[in-house]
Coordinates of all heavy atoms in Angstrom, one line a residue:
N2 N 102.4 132.0 36.5 CA 101.0 131.8 36.3 C 100.2 133.1 36.1 O 100.8 134.2 36.2 CB 100.4 131.0 37.5 CG 100.6 131.8 38.8 OD1 100.6 133.0 38.9 ND2 100.8 131.0 39.9
L3 N 98.9 133.0 35.8 CA 98.2 134.2 35.5 C 98.1 135.2 36.6 O 98.1 136.4 36.5 CB 96.8 133.8 35.0 CG 96.7 133.4 33.5 CD1 95.3 132.9 33.2 CD2 97.1 134.5 32.6
N7 N 99.3 138.9 36.5 CA 98.5 140.1 36.7 C 99.1 141.1 37.6 O 99.1 142.3 37.4 CB 97.2 139.6 37.4 CG 96.3 138.7 36.4 OD1 96.6 138.7 35.3 ND2 95.3 138.1 37.0
V10 N 101.9 143.0 35.9 CA 101.5 144.1 35.0 C 101.1 145.3 35.7 O 101.4 146.4 35.3 CB 100.2 143.5 34.1 CG1 99.6 144.7 33.4 CG2 100.7 142.5 33.1
L31 N 80.4 155.9 44.4 CA 79.4 154.9 44.2 C 79.2 154.1 45.5 O 78.1 153.8 45.9 CB 79.9 153.9 43.1 CG 79.8 154.4 41.7 CD1 80.4 153.3 40.7 CD2 78.3 154.6 41.3
N36 N 76.0 152.6 50.1 CA 75.9 152.4 51.5 C 74.9 153.4 52.2 O 74.3 153.1 53.2 CB 77.2 152.5 52.2 CG 78.1 151.3 52.0 OD1 77.5 150.2 51.7 ND2 79.4 151.4 52.2
N55 N 58.8 140.6 60.6 CA 58.4 139.9 59.4 C 59.6 139.2 58.8 O 60.6 139.8 58.5 CB 57.9 140.9 58.4 CG 57.3 140.3 57.2 OD1 57.8 139.3 56.6 ND2 56.2 140.8 56.7
N67 N 74.8 142.2 54.3 CA 75.9 141.4 53.6 C 76.5 142.3 52.5 O 77.7 142.3 52.3 CB 75.2 140.2 53.1 CG 76.2 139.1 52.6 OD1 76.8 138.5 53.5 ND2 76.4 139.0 51.3
I70 N 78.8 145.1 53.9 CA 80.1 144.6 54.3 C 81.0 144.3 53.1 O 82.1 144.7 53.0 CB 79.9 143.3 55.1 CG1 79.2 143.5 56.4 CG2 81.3 142.6 55.3 CD1 78.9 142.3 57.2
T73 N 82.1 147.7 51.4 CA 83.0 148.4 52.3 C 84.4 147.8 52.2 O 85.4 148.4 52.0 CB 82.6 148.4 53.7 OG1 81.3 149.1 53.8 CG2 83.6 149.2 54.6
A77 N 87.7 149.3 50.3 CA 88.9 149.5 51.2 C 90.1 148.9 50.5 O 91.2 149.5 50.5 CB 88.6 149.0 52.6
I99 N 86.6 137.5 54.8 CA 85.3 138.1 55.1 C 84.6 138.4 53.7 O 83.4 138.2 53.6 CB 85.5 139.4 55.9 CG1 86.2 139.2 57.2 CG2 84.1 140.1 56.1 CD1 85.4 138.2 58.1
N110 N 71.2 133.2 50.6 CA 70.1 134.1 51.2 C 69.0 134.3 50.1 O 67.8 134.3 50.5 CB 70.7 135.5 51.5 CG 69.9 136.3 52.4 OD1 70.1 136.3 53.6 ND2 68.9 137.0 51.9
L111 N 69.3 134.4 48.9 CA 68.3 134.5 47.8 C 67.4 133.2 47.8 O 66.2 133.3 47.6 CB 69.0 134.7 46.4 CG 69.6 136.0 46.2 CD1 70.4 136.0 44.9 CD2 68.6 137.1 46.1
K135 N 62.2 133.6 65.0 CA 63.2 132.8 65.6 C 63.8 131.9 64.5 O 65.0 131.7 64.4 CB 62.7 132.0 66.7 CG 63.7 131.1 67.4 CD 63.1 130.4 68.6 CE 64.2 129.5 69.3 NZ 63.6 128.8 70.5
T159 N 96.1 126.3 53.2 CA 97.2 127.3 53.1 C 98.1 127.2 54.3 O 99.4 127.2 54.1 CB 96.6 128.7 52.9 OG1 95.8 128.7 51.8 CG2 97.8 129.7 52.7
L170 N 104.9 138.0 54.5 CA 105.1 138.8 53.3 C 104.1 140.0 53.2 O 103.1 140.0 53.9 CB 104.9 137.9 52.1 CG 105.8 136.7 51.9 CD1 105.4 135.9 50.7 CD2 107.3 137.2 51.6
P183 N 96.6 125.3 43.7 CA 95.7 124.9 42.6 C 94.5 124.1 43.1 O 93.4 124.2 42.5 CB 96.5 124.1 41.6 CG 97.9 124.5 41.9 CD 98.0 124.8 43.4
R189 N 87.1 125.7 44.9 CA 86.3 126.8 44.8 C 85.3 126.8 43.6 O 84.1 127.1 43.7 CB 87.2 128.1 44.6 CG 86.4 129.4 44.4 CD 87.3 130.5 44.1 NE 87.9 130.3 42.8 CZ 88.9 131.1 42.3 NH1 89.3 132.2 42.9 NH2 89.4 130.9 41.1
N190 N 85.8 126.3 42.4 CA 85.0 126.3 41.3 C 83.9 125.2 41.5 O 82.7 125.5 41.1 CB 85.8 125.9 40.0 CG 86.8 127.0 39.6 OD1 86.6 128.2 40.0 ND2 87.9 126.7 39.0
Y196 N 76.6 125.4 44.5 CA 75.8 126.5 45.0 C 74.8 127.0 44.0 O 73.6 127.1 44.2 CB 76.6 127.7 45.5 CG 77.1 127.5 46.9 CD1 77.1 126.3 47.6 CD2 77.7 128.6 47.6 CE1 77.6 126.2 48.9 CE2 78.1 128.5 48.9 CZ 78.1 127.3 49.6 OH 78.5 127.2 50.8
G233 N 65.9 135.5 40.4 CA 66.7 134.9 39.4 C 67.7 135.8 38.7 O 68.8 135.5 38.4
F256 N 93.5 141.5 25.9 CA 93.6 142.9 26.0 C 94.7 143.4 27.0 O 94.4 144.2 27.9 CB 92.2 143.6 26.4 CG 91.1 143.1 25.5 CD1 90.2 142.2 26.0 CD2 91.0 143.7 24.3 CE1 89.1 141.8 25.2 CE2 89.9 143.3 23.5 CZ 89.0 142.4 23.9
Y260 N 94.9 146.4 30.2 CA 94.6 145.4 31.2 C 94.0 146.1 32.5 O 93.1 145.7 33.1 CB 95.8 144.6 31.6 CG 95.5 143.5 32.6 CD1 94.6 142.4 32.2 CD2 96.0 143.5 33.8 CE1 94.3 141.4 33.1 CE2 95.8 142.5 34.8 CZ 94.9 141.5 34.4 OH 94.6 140.5 35.3
C267 N 85.9 145.4 35.2 CA 85.4 144.2 35.9 C 85.0 144.4 37.3 O 84.0 143.9 37.8 CB 86.5 143.1 35.8 SG 86.8 142.4 34.2

Side-chain angles (χ1 to χ4, degrees):
N2 59 32
L3 279 175
N7 293 349
V10 169
L31 286 175
N36 281 342
N55 188 317
N67 194 76
I70 294 172
T73 302
I99 301 299
N110 199 94
L111 289 171
K135 182 178 180 180
T159 302
L170 297 174
R189 176 190 65 185
N190 293 336
Y196 273 14
F256 305 103
Y260 186 66
C267 288

